[in-house]
Amino acid sequence: MGGGSFIEEVRMLGQGSTSSSWKWWAVIGGLVALPMCLCAFCMVSGLGVALLGTVGLMAGEVRPAREVAEQFLSALRDERWEDAYARCAPSFQGQLGGPEELARRHGGDRRPVEWSFSRWSVEVKNGVRQAHLEGTLTTASGEKYAFSIELRTRAVGSGEAWEIHAFTMD
């Protein structure tokens, strides 16, 4: 093929065939389609990375709140009423009345034994981080309930701690 131009080389590819124009259009199509596909891939993968980053950030934000919710539910399951009560904010403790009331409300057959979270969110309101977790739980009697747990942070030294502000079973 010597030192000819690219177009001459493409024309020579089509010689000897009854329809050489399809090869010419295939080369042009490839030269146009390849950059478009690469651009589309870069855009999609960039959006995918951004989406995964947002999901990861949200999971990282909710993890500490979810751990406190898990500890609270585990304390209820294991009938450690003082421990469950201690994880509650003072305002919620006032509503409960004490560990004995927590045991009366959520003990016995109403005691959660299994649970899973299906929805969660974290937001800042009036400078306070708040989390809302929802899911389903199974009680010791085998009944299934929807539940929600509201948590808020409070300052502790130079950090913060999550506390239970509300717990409801429907």
Side-chain angles (χ1 to χ4, degrees):
M1 290 196 159
S5 72
F6 176 72
I7 294 174
E8 290 175 2
E9 290 178 18
V10 171
R11 282 190 191 148
M12 291 178 72
L13 284 174
Q15 290 178 349
S17 131
T18 56
S19 174
S20 63
S21 64
W22 74 269
K23 289 181 183 178
W24 173 250
W25 287 112
V27 169
I28 292 175
L31 292 173
V32 171
L34 182 62
M36 289 176 60
C37 289
L38 287 174
C39 287
F41 173 77
C42 291
M43 284 182 16
V44 170
S45 63
L47 290 174
V49 168
L51 180 61
L52 288 176
T54 301
V55 169
L57 179 61
M58 181 62 142
E61 284 285 314
V62 81
R63 183 176 296 125
R66 184 175 172 156
E67 287 173 0
V68 170
E70 290 274 358
Q71 293 164 357
F72 174 76
L73 291 168
S74 294
L76 293 179
R77 177 194 63 210
D78 300 340
E79 299 180 328
R80 294 181 285 117
W81 309 114
E82 288 84 14
D83 189 22
Y85 185 76
R87 298 194 185 287
C88 298
S91 60
F92 189 43
Q93 287 176 341
Q95 292 173 8
L96 292 171
E100 304 78 24
E101 180 62 20
L102 189 60
R104 190 186 69 70
R105 288 185 189 184
H106 300 292
D109 286 345
R110 288 189 51 86
R111 182 174 48 90
V113 293
E114 291 181 355
W115 55 86
S116 64
F117 298 103
S118 56
R119 293 178 28 181
W120 53 84
S121 63
V122 176
E123 61 185 349
V124 177
K125 283 188 179 177
N126 300 323
V128 177
R129 290 192 327 145
Q130 301 179 17
H132 181 85
L133 292 88
E134 297 179 2
T136 56
L137 62 77
T138 304
T139 63
S141 67
E143 293 182 76
K144 294 191 182 298
Y145 291 93
F147 75 94
S148 69
I149 299 179
E150 298 283 337
L151 300 101
R152 293 186 189 151
T153 59
R154 72 172 166 85
V156 177
S158 62
E160 62 184 14
W162 285 97
E163 298 177 316
I164 308 293
H165 271 254
F167 172 63
T168 57
M169 290 173 38
D170 299 323

